[in-house]
Amino acid sequence: MAALSTRGLVSRLHQQFLSLSRPSAAAPTSLPFHSLTRRLFSSDALMDGSQILHKPPARIIQATPAIMTPNSKRTGIIAVKCGMTALWDKWGARLPITILWVDDNIVSQVKTVEKEGIFSLQIGCGHKKPKHLTKPEVGHFRAQGVPLKRKLKEFPVTEDALLPVGTSLGVLHFVPGQYVDVSGTSRGKGFQGAMKRWGFKGMPASHGASLSHRSPGSTGQRDAPGKVFKGKKMPGRMGGKTRTVKNVWVYKIDPARNLMWVRGQQKMRMKQI
C-alpha cells in the first residue's frame, strides 16, 4: 500500500509540473522559467523558425575556374618516386632529375570553418582492397562516396581554393618552371656511427689510436657539468624521418602518363608536393 500511495503521489506531482510548464494561449509572454529552458535546450527550438537557435546553411562547393591571389593557397598532391635520370639543357649543363608519378589523386574530404574550424582538403592516392583497410577507414570512404585509397594526406588551403569531393588531380595541377616544396620519408639506414651519421672526421688512423679510428671522441667535459648535454651528435638510428626540400624546380610534366620531372636528388619514398 505504501508503494501504491507513493506512486500516486509522484504521478500527481508530475501532472502538476506539466500543467505549470505548459504555456497558456492567453498570456504567451509570461512563460515560466522551466518552460523557457525546456524550449531552448530541446530539438523544438531547431525546428521552430521563431526561436533563437538557427542551423547555418550548408556550404556549396563547386569546381569553377577562379583567379588566385598572392594570398591564395592551393592544395598539394601525393606522388610516388619512380627513379632518377639526368638531362641536359640547351646550354649543355647536366641536370639531375627525379621522376615522380601522380597515382590517381582524388579529393576524399572537404573541411570547412563552419564544421571543422579550418579550410583544408584531404587527398587520397592509389588503390587498396577493402580487406587491407580497417572498418573505420572503409566507412570513411563510403560515407564520402569515393573509392578506397592507399594513402591519405590533408593539405590546408584558403577558402577560394576549395574543391568538391571526388575531384581528380593530376600533373596538370602544376606547370613547368614553377617551384614546389617536396616532403617525404627519407631512406632508413639503420643504426650508424658518428662518422656516417654526422660526417665526423674520426680519430687518427695511426700513431697510437688503438681500435678507435672511427670513434666520435669526447662527449662532454669533466665534473663541472657532470652530464652529456641533450642534442649531442652521437651514434644512433639514421634516416626514416619526414624531411622537406623547399623550392624544387619543376622541369617538365607528362599528362598522358601522369609523370613529373623535378630537379634535384629527392631521396624520398613518398612525395607530398
Side-chain angles (χ1 to χ4, degrees):
M1 294 298 293
L4 292 176
S5 60
T6 304
R7 184 179 303 173
L9 178 62
V10 171
S11 63
R12 286 195 298 269
L13 291 176
H14 182 64
Q15 291 177 0
Q16 293 178 3
F17 174 75
L18 290 179
S19 62
L20 288 175
S21 61
R22 189 178 297 113
S24 61
T29 57
S30 58
L31 292 177
F33 175 74
H34 12 272
S35 175
L36 182 61
T37 55
R38 184 174 60 86
R39 292 292 299 275
L40 286 178
F41 296 99
S42 65
S43 59
D44 299 338
L46 297 177
M47 300 175 62
D48 190 0
S50 62
Q51 297 298 323
I52 301 176
L53 302 179
H54 294 282
K55 186 177 181 180
R59 179 186 293 269
I60 300 176
I61 302 174
Q62 297 179 354
T64 56
I67 299 177
M68 297 286 104
T69 63
N71 296 327
S72 299
K73 187 175 183 180
R74 301 192 307 161
T75 180
I77 60 176
I78 306 174
V80 181
K81 179 179 178 180
C82 298
M84 288 195 62
T85 184
L87 298 176
W88 283 261
D89 58 10
K90 60 181 180 181
W91 296 282
R94 183 180 182 275
L95 301 177
I97 298 295
T98 300
I99 303 177
L100 305 176
W101 174 43
V102 181
D103 184 15
D104 193 15
N105 281 226
I106 194 173
V107 179
S108 58
Q109 187 182 5
V110 179
K111 294 186 178 181
T112 58
V113 173
E114 292 82 7
K115 189 174 181 181
E116 289 84 8
I118 188 177
F119 287 114
S120 65
L121 293 178
Q122 185 187 82
I123 308 298
C125 79
H127 300 277
K128 213 168 188 180
K129 296 180 180 180
K131 64 179 182 179
H132 295 152
L133 294 172
T134 61
K135 290 185 178 180
E137 292 174 342
V138 174
H140 170 71
F141 289 117
R142 291 179 177 174
Q144 299 296 329
V146 296
L148 306 182
K149 293 298 178 179
R150 183 169 65 93
K151 185 177 179 62
L152 295 176
K153 175 65 180 178
E154 184 175 328
F155 296 92
V157 298
T158 53
E159 185 177 2
D160 56 351
L162 290 175
L163 297 173
V165 175
T167 304
S168 297
L169 299 172
V171 294
L172 291 176
H173 192 64
F174 302 101
V175 294
Q178 76 173 113
Y179 292 86
V180 297
D181 296 341
V182 181
S183 176
T185 305
S186 60
R187 294 179 180 178
K189 300 181 181 298
F191 194 96
Q192 299 296 332
M195 292 182 65
K196 181 178 178 63
R197 190 184 185 194
W198 303 109
F200 283 7
K201 180 182 177 181
M203 303 296 284
S206 61
H207 298 288
S210 176
L211 303 180
S212 60
H213 308 289
R214 301 181 63 87
S215 173
S218 175
T219 59
Q221 295 77 38
R222 303 178 66 180
D223 270 348
K227 64 177 181 180
V228 178
F229 290 104
K230 293 183 178 180
K232 176 66 179 175
K233 295 181 179 180
M234 299 178 67
R237 182 169 296 181
M238 182 179 178
K241 298 180 180 179
T242 301
R243 292 292 180 261
T244 301
V245 181
K246 295 183 177 294
N247 299 326
V248 179
W249 185 49
V250 179
Y251 184 75
K252 69 174 182 177
I253 61 176
D254 185 1
R257 295 181 292 175
N258 259 347
L259 296 178
M260 182 166 56
W261 283 257
V262 297
R263 183 172 62 183
Q265 302 88 345
Q266 312 302 326
K267 299 180 180 179
M268 311 282 185
R269 291 200 301 262
M270 183 70 69
K271 310 292 180 178
Q272 299 163 5
I273 303 175

